[in-house]
Amino acid sequence: IFNAMVKVFARAKEFESAWCLILNRLKRPIEGPNMDSFAILIRRYARAGTPFSAIYGFVHSNLHLV
């Protein structure tokens, strides 16, 4: 369900809302976002023509998933 919500926000180009969802989930001790969550954002940023944001998403995912 979490990745589906990220996908909905990303498809609507509501990237700020998608990031809020991911960052809020990272703060909680429950299961956080996985690589699929970040892959959704990276793909949607690339399709939206914002490569620097896609790179930022990739770097951010490496910081939190490694």
Side-chain angles (χ1 to χ4, degrees), residues 3-52:
N3 285 342
M5 288 299 298
V6 172
K7 188 180 283 189
V8 167
F9 283 132
R11 278 187 181 167
K13 295 185 181 177
E14 292 290 333
F15 297 113
E16 187 174 329
S17 298
W19 273 112
C20 285
L21 190 66
I22 287 174
L23 294 175
N24 284 336
R25 197 70 177 262
L26 285 171
K27 294 177 186 176
R28 295 182 178 178
I30 59 174
E31 181 183 335
N34 55 18
M35 192 58 191
D36 291 337
S37 309
F38 288 102
I40 291 166
L41 275 180
I42 292 166
R43 224 178 290 122
R44 290 296 169 174
Y45 273 131
R47 287 183 184 164
T50 55
F52 294 114

Side-chain angles (χ1 to χ4, degrees), residues 19 22 26 33-39 41-42 54-66:
W19 273 112
I22 287 174
L26 285 171
N34 55 18
M35 192 58 191
D36 291 337
S37 309
F38 288 102
L41 275 180
I42 292 166
I55 293 168
Y56 174 79
F58 176 74
V59 170
H60 200 71
S61 70
N62 284 335
L63 293 174
H64 290 288
L65 296 177
V66 173

